Amino acid sequence: VVAAAAYRLGECLHDERYQTVHDYTRRRGVECTFTVAPRDAPEWAHNAAVLWNAAERAETRKNSTLAREVELALPSFLEPADREHMAEQFAEALVERYGVAVSVAIHKPGRHGDDRNYHAHILFTTREMTPEGLGKKTRVLDDRKTGPQEVTILRELAADIINEHLAAANADIRVDHRSFKERGIDREPTTHLGPAAA
């Protein structure tokens, strides 16, 4: 998870468990990064290197999930500050809902692809962040019954935040978290072809 955080944040992080350094400081396209944690969290929870090493240490099983990630598509025509505010709102909602710590990296479009592809990588702990540090596991997203419902709630939350900013910018477009079928649209969804096709 330390390597994953370093890559997304475009930083150089030392992995204490494996005694390796993950240096992604030469990575291009990272527009901004920040970490959000509960108000009563220890100060180190806002330091990505310390946070993700603590997340690594907190797990003892070799098949443990160390973090969860949400990728949030952001409107390209909005200002960088607006994109940052959207990602921050979503991260704060994760903190409030699950009591976790969250690292956010907003990426610009790559050189070889769609020039509108602004997006945020939102990496959050699988354990609650308490005043003493990482606490118990958050299981609601893992549960077969509650997990799918939580994913739907997060997708709806993301759509609401993005639409709020689109409305504030007087844009005439909106996003919808529902599938074509759920919306009653009789159309086949397109297949994501990836950067090779572009």
Side-chain angles (χ1 to χ4, degrees):
V1 75
V2 176
Y7 179 76
R8 284 153 182 79
L9 299 170
E11 293 184 9
C12 181
L13 301 181
H14 177 254
D15 190 324
E16 295 168 4
R17 174 178 273 183
Y18 298 102
Q19 289 301 310
T20 55
V21 173
H22 305 285
D23 187 354
Y24 291 100
T25 52
R26 295 181 68 194
R27 189 175 197 283
R28 297 179 183 199
V30 179
E31 191 170 78
C32 79
T33 64
F34 54 90
T35 299
V36 183
R39 289 183 186 189
D40 60 355
E43 190 61 36
W44 58 260
H46 296 275
N47 179 317
V50 180
L51 171 65
W52 295 111
N53 272 295
E56 189 84 50
R57 277 192 311 275
E59 305 304 332
T60 55
R61 293 174 47 185
K62 65 180 179 181
N63 64 344
S64 291
T65 302
L66 304 174
R68 293 187 180 92
E69 183 179 27
V70 172
E71 193 171 324
L72 194 61
L74 301 170
S76 61
F77 58 87
L78 295 181
E79 294 296 320
D82 293 324
R83 290 192 289 271
E84 183 177 348
H85 190 233
M86 277 186 270
E88 188 174 25
Q89 277 183 275
F90 189 80
E92 287 172 353
L94 291 174
V95 170
E96 186 176 321
R97 188 166 186 86
Y98 306 117
V100 295
V102 184
S103 285
V104 178
I106 298 177
H107 290 187
K108 298 176 184 178
R111 288 180 288 171
H112 308 292
D114 192 331
D115 62 355
R116 300 167 297 174
N117 187 21
Y118 286 89
H119 57 281
H121 290 274
I122 301 171
L123 198 65
F124 58 106
T125 59
T126 55
R127 292 183 176 273
E128 293 177 356
M129 180 57 71
T130 70
E132 293 76 38
L134 290 167
K136 66 179 184 175
K137 279 278 202 182
T138 56
R139 298 283 185 200
V140 67
L141 282 159
D142 300 325
D143 188 270
R144 289 178 188 235
K145 290 183 180 177
T146 61
Q149 295 167 350
E150 284 297 310
V151 169
T152 300
I153 289 168
L154 293 180
R155 289 172 59 95
E156 187 173 5
L157 171 67
D160 289 346
I161 290 170
I162 293 168
N163 286 333
E164 175 186 314
H165 284 267
L166 290 172
N170 294 319
D172 59 356
I173 60 170
R174 296 293 180 268
V175 297
D176 198 311
H177 68 284
R178 297 170 298 166
S179 68
F180 287 157
K181 185 177 180 180
E182 290 171 317
R183 293 163 55 194
I185 298 172
D186 186 25
R187 187 171 87 200
E188 285 290 316
T190 58
T191 302
H192 179 68
L193 301 175

